[in-house]
Amino acid sequence: MTETVRPASGFNGTIQLPPDKSISHRAALFAAISDEKSIIENYSEAADPASTLSCLKQLGIQIEREKNRVTIQGVGRKGFINPATPLDCGNSGTTMRLLTGILAGAGVTAELTGDDSLSGRTMKRIIEPLRRMGATISAQEDEFAPISLKDHSGIKPMRYTLPIASAQLKSCVLLAGLFGDEPTEVIEQTPSRDHTERLLNLTSEPYGQGKIIRSSSSDTIPAQSYTVPGDFSAAAFWMVGAAIQSGSELILKNVGINPSRTGILHVLKQMGANITLTDERMQGSEPVADMKISNSSLQPIDLDPKLIPNCIDELPILMVAFCFANGRSTIRGAEELRHKETDRLSAMHEILTNAGAETTLRDDGIEIEGDPDFKPQNAEFNSYHDHRMAMAAAILSSKAGGESSILDADCTAISYPNFWKDLKEVSG
Ligand code: S3P
């Protein structure tokens, strides 16, 4: 499907964000290995968290779904059946990496597959530590899906220093560690999203410049009965959209504001964006707030590379904001963007260049010459089948002088099924 995006003269109104994708995955996975029954409210209706649910059903988990309420009867750590057919993780890296950690720990015999995009993403980062922990695991060229798991003689505890700042890798190792008699210890130097630690109440303590997190079979896996917050990563598109559209005043309700995710909020504020949080509160173990954004002029910024894991999914839309800043902004140290649903550095470079922005692509980043009066050329934009590329191109196009087209626009269903509807509504 191709979507047409018309120029907007401001983003106004109130948006109910889609439920957080990262938390939805975890809620379902952890509910399955709890000994209790969980009722998860506001579970995401997007395609990726649906992949997690369908894999769990194949593993023998009873799941009932009534709109956004999902009820899961946990089977404990050893209750999975060996699935008769491959577990299709679709487009979802989080499903594949976290589920592999759990199944490797549990000694389940299974094959995990994914779509073309997921099958092209490296799984070496999880295969290597899981093997060291005693898992019997193999993969295409020892790196790519399909991943095959077989029963093994037990999980060996491990002290593991994360070689990359990745919440998926951290979670994968900690989840496998839940099946070992002695604690598995994960040392994290640069913080990445900490939903796994919060939702499982894992113990951690400061270690060097970072922290050490532990998991073992003595950790009780709590029922996951809570309301999933609105997705901060979805909010980021509106934060930038309303910041760059004159005449905007947008309210976002119930936004997850976990500090390990809110890098772009601080960066945009530093750039001069007008964003306020109200009614900050806790929802289960996650902080949430309402957010108000209005238009303002933006200053350029050199993004601190240490912040990258804190805003990894928001970098594409941050690049759109950079186009409208008063000067040159830079991102360096973001090589990890090349390993997402598509190579997001190259894809964004092409989208921005297609719109007439002045950009320089680097191996690990991008430089963007911003201009507050930048008028993107209306164009036909490739989404690269990547939800975040499609949404970034749409926000950019809403500032163009004429109609633009976003190709394969239905890929937004991966994280934000109502994106196009919301865009039309707030554009008036
Ligand atoms: C995620 C972690 C991040 C992020 C992805 C979701 C998660 O990936 O890009 O969209 O839910 O843990 P990495 O851990 O690979 O950086």
Side-chain angles (χ1 to χ4, degrees), residues 20-23 25-26 48 93-95 97-98 121 125 164-171 192-193 195-196 233 261 309 312-313 336-337 339-341 344 387-388:
D20 189 276
K21 180 162 83 72
S22 287
I23 297 175
H25 286 298
R26 285 165 172 81
D48 269 10
T94 308
T95 308
R97 295 195 175 116
L98 270 59
R121 295 175 66 183
R125 57 183 62 182
I164 39 173
S166 159
Q168 292 181 351
L169 172 57
K170 169 175 68 175
S171 301
S192 63
R193 68 191 70 193
H195 305 302
T196 297
S233 300
R261 294 274 296 277
I312 186 75
D313 290 341
E336 192 59 20
L337 276 186
H339 305 288
K340 296 296 177 188
E341 285 84 330
R344 287 182 174 164
H387 52 135
R388 298 197 202 281

Side-chain angles (χ1 to χ4, degrees), residues 79-387:
F80 289 129
I81 57 165
N82 291 336
T85 49
L87 302 169
D88 184 359
C89 302
N91 191 246
S92 174
T94 308
T95 308
M96 184 167 277
R97 295 195 175 116
L98 270 59
L99 188 56
T100 299
I102 292 174
L103 299 182
V108 171
T109 295
E111 186 174 88
L112 292 92
T113 61
D115 69 5
D116 287 349
S117 154
L118 187 54
S119 305
R121 295 175 66 183
T122 182
M123 294 296 143
K124 215 182 186 71
R125 57 183 62 182
I126 61 165
I127 292 171
E128 191 270 320
L130 290 175
R131 223 173 243 159
R132 274 172 56 197
M133 294 174 87
T136 310
I137 181 166
S138 59
Q140 203 74 29
E141 298 167 41
D142 218 24
E143 179 163 13
F144 300 108
I147 295 178
S148 290
L149 292 166
K150 295 216 164 33
D151 198 3
H152 51 71
S153 53
I155 280 296
K156 295 193 281 264
M158 173 174 70
R159 173 173 275 213
Y160 185 65
T161 301
L162 291 167
I164 39 173
S166 159
Q168 292 181 351
L169 172 57
K170 169 175 68 175
S171 301
C172 172
V173 174
L174 287 169
L175 291 170
L178 286 174
F179 295 80
D181 290 339
E182 297 295 322
T184 283
E185 300 180 317
V186 174
I187 297 165
E188 182 178 57
Q189 323 270 16
T190 313
S192 63
R193 68 191 70 193
D194 65 357
H195 305 302
T196 297
E197 297 94 302
R198 283 174 185 253
L199 299 175
L200 290 176
N201 300 326
L202 296 181
T203 56
S204 69
E205 60 192 62
Y207 187 91
Q209 305 283 21
K211 63 175 175 171
I212 185 162
I213 314 145
R214 298 189 177 85
S215 65
S216 78
S217 59
S218 61
D219 290 313
T220 303
I221 297 165
Q224 302 289 310
S225 292
Y226 45 82
T227 302
V228 175
D231 198 326
F232 181 84
S233 300
F237 293 98
W238 304 120
M239 288 160 64
V240 171
I244 62 177
Q245 285 282 357
S246 53
S248 291
E249 192 171 290
L250 207 49
I251 309 274
L252 308 178
K253 293 295 231 186
N254 201 37
V255 192
I257 51 160
N258 180 317
S260 63
R261 294 274 296 277
T262 47
I264 192 174
L265 173 64
H266 305 297
V267 173
L268 286 173
K269 279 185 161 187
Q270 231 178 308
M271 292 172 71
N274 203 346
I275 305 175
T276 49
L277 298 182
T278 52
D279 197 11
E280 291 187 41
R281 55 205 185 266
M282 289 302 286
Q283 202 165 284
S285 51
E286 294 282 344
V288 297
D290 298 334
M291 192 182 272
K292 186 164 106 178
I293 313 125
S294 48
N295 167 242
S296 59
S297 52
L298 297 176
Q299 296 306 313
I301 201 165
D302 292 321
L303 186 71
D304 179 354
K306 284 206 275 312
L307 264 184
I308 283 171
N310 197 297
C311 55
I312 186 75
D313 290 341
E314 292 69 66
L315 292 176
I317 190 63
L318 185 59
M319 293 178 203
V320 173
F322 285 175
C323 293
F324 300 91
N326 186 21
R328 190 181 191 79
S329 296
T330 57
I331 297 177
R332 300 305 294 262
E335 203 268 342
E336 192 59 20
L337 276 186
R338 296 194 182 274
H339 305 288
K340 296 296 177 188
E341 285 84 330
T342 189
D343 172 347
R344 287 182 174 164
L345 271 180
S346 296
M348 279 311 295
H349 177 249
E350 275 200 37
I351 288 170
L352 298 178
T353 307
N354 200 4
E358 229 184 278
T359 65
T360 310
L361 182 64
R362 306 275 178 214
D363 286 348
D364 66 342
I366 195 162
E367 287 163 28
I368 297 172
E369 200 63 58
D371 176 357
D373 298 321
F374 176 51
K375 195 93 202 129
Q377 269 162 235
N378 52 311
E380 191 174 83
F381 292 103
N382 195 340
S383 69
Y384 304 86
H385 310 285
D386 181 330
H387 52 135

